[in-house]
Amino acid sequence: MPLWVELVIRIGGVVVAFLTLPLLVGQAEHKVMAHMQGRLGPMYAGGFHGWAQLVADGVKFVQKEDITPREADRAVFRLAPAVALVPYLLVLLVIPLGPNDLVGQPLDIGLFFVLAVVGVGVVAVLMSAWASANKYSLLGGLRGAAQLLGYELPLVLAAASVAMAAGTLSLSGIVEAWQPWWLIWQAPAMIIFFVAGLAEIRRPPFDMPVADSELVFGYMTEYTGLRFAFFLLAEYVGIVVIAALTTVLFLGGWQGPFADDQLGWLWTLLKVFAVAFVIIWLRVSYPRLREDQLQRLCWLVLVPAALAQLVLTAAVRVAL
């Protein structure tokens, strides 16, 4: 197969995943929240079990007027939703779905690339906050910047722990080196990574930057129509990315109970959707953290725990 054909197939597959997986997660969130909180609306759209709720939401966003505030920096204001989306698309390019190079673009430094690109999300938050010319947006953007910059540290330290254990920065290499007993040994790193990942995508209970009871809707206050929908889509893509990274780094990726490489992609997807369900469940179950609680959790709990886990991993590696 010519190289360009293979490249087109790989990129096309990643784009399809980028467009479909977040919609599946969004539909699942509608249903899970409807069942957990007794919401009736999402169970009726389209008839059977509210199957058309996501379609109805899409039509609603398309019909809404696209408004740009008069005092806004128009170019930056309009570009911010794209900046929020593109990093997640790049991350999906290097996350392996299965063995035998079943990945958009295999990289020997895949983990380094992922952590670097995910950090770009803070730029979109600041762009939308500053360009909106709105005090609530600006406050939300500053909260978002403080949150994202703080939680990047435990996220990176937790990822470094599993990379040290595997002896490689390749995501595929980490999956191949993974052993079931890592579920115990690397459990603290997994919890730290997962919690920090929730904060990075600003999901409840880490949604202080968009606290509706205080800031209207934070840095997204002035956005309407499709641009607002793009921010929501970025949130759901973020759920997929964090769930996929947790799966690949800590849950064995495509490794399942049976030694069958042909079903590796299925095990990966099952684990990703299981982790995504936990993310949705946390949104329904826990109240929003105050700003002081959020920062205290980061600097006084997650960072020391991540450093301790890193020391433990180094000790075990030396011992083995």
Side-chain angles (χ1 to χ4, degrees):
M1 180 184 298
L3 179 61
W4 68 271
V5 174
E6 181 181 354
L7 186 62
V8 168
I9 293 175
R10 288 177 180 269
I11 295 178
V14 171
V15 171
V16 170
F18 177 77
L19 295 175
T20 56
L21 292 180
L23 298 181
L24 293 176
V25 171
Q27 181 74 352
E29 181 169 66
H30 279 104
K31 303 309 167 189
V32 170
M33 292 180 65
H35 283 291
M36 288 186 172
Q37 296 183 332
R39 298 185 178 190
L40 297 180
M43 307 306 292
Y44 283 91
F48 176 73
H49 210 68
W51 65 270
Q53 180 61 50
L54 202 63
V55 177
D57 287 342
V59 173
K60 176 186 69 176
F61 283 123
V62 170
Q63 290 179 336
K64 284 189 173 182
E65 184 179 2
D66 183 16
I67 299 174
T68 302
R70 181 170 50 194
E71 301 298 326
D73 186 327
R74 291 179 176 270
V76 177
F77 182 85
R78 293 172 177 173
L79 186 61
V83 176
L85 271 173
V86 170
Y88 293 128
L89 174 60
L90 296 177
V91 169
L92 289 177
L93 279 171
V94 300
I95 295 180
L97 182 61
N100 304 319
D101 276 345
L102 189 58
V103 58
Q105 181 59 52
L107 288 179
D108 291 338
I109 56 169
L111 181 59
F112 178 82
F113 174 83
V114 164
L115 295 175
V117 172
V118 166
V120 176
V122 67
V123 177
V125 172
L126 290 175
M127 286 174 63
S128 59
W130 178 259
S132 293
N134 180 299
K135 63 181 179 181
Y136 295 111
S137 297
L138 183 58
L139 286 172
L142 294 177
R143 282 184 181 182
Q147 177 173 318
L148 297 179
L149 292 175
Y151 277 86
E152 277 182 9
L153 183 56
L155 186 81
V156 171
L157 291 174
S161 174
V162 73
M164 182 185 297
T168 178
L169 288 174
S170 167
L171 295 177
S172 297
I174 291 173
V175 177
E176 291 169 356
W178 184 86
Q179 299 294 330
W181 68 280
W182 285 20
L183 290 173
I184 300 175
W185 175 36
Q186 293 297 322
M190 179 177 66
I191 295 171
I192 294 166
F193 183 89
F194 180 74
V195 172
L198 284 181
E200 285 292 305
I201 59 176
R202 301 168 295 284
R203 286 284 296 183
F206 301 96
D207 58 338
M208 279 300 293
V210 292
D212 53 346
S213 59
E214 304 170 30
L215 303 179
V216 186
F217 214 60
Y219 60 91
M220 292 188 283
T221 297
E222 297 292 351
Y223 283 88
T224 59
L226 284 178
R227 289 194 176 90
F228 182 76
F230 286 156
F231 272 116
L232 293 185
L233 180 61
E235 179 179 328
Y236 287 124
V237 181
I239 293 175
V240 173
V241 167
I242 293 301
L245 288 175
T246 303
T247 295
V248 168
L249 295 177
F250 300 100
L251 300 179
W254 63 75
Q255 297 193 40
F258 309 108
D260 186 358
D261 289 347
Q262 300 301 318
L263 293 178
W265 62 272
L266 180 59
W267 290 118
T268 301
L269 289 178
L270 288 175
K271 294 175 184 178
V272 167
F273 280 106
V275 176
F277 171 81
V278 175
I279 294 175
I280 296 170
W281 172 70
L282 288 174
R283 172 180 180 175
V284 177
S285 304
Y286 289 92
R288 180 185 303 124
L289 294 176
R290 296 196 314 264
E291 184 67 21
D292 61 315
Q293 293 172 331
L294 187 145
Q295 294 296 341
R296 188 179 300 115
L297 174 64
C298 174
W299 296 106
L300 299 184
V301 178
L302 295 185
V303 171
L307 289 172
Q309 175 65 28
L310 203 59
V311 172
L312 173 64
T313 300
V316 173
R317 285 285 295 176
V318 171
L320 295 178

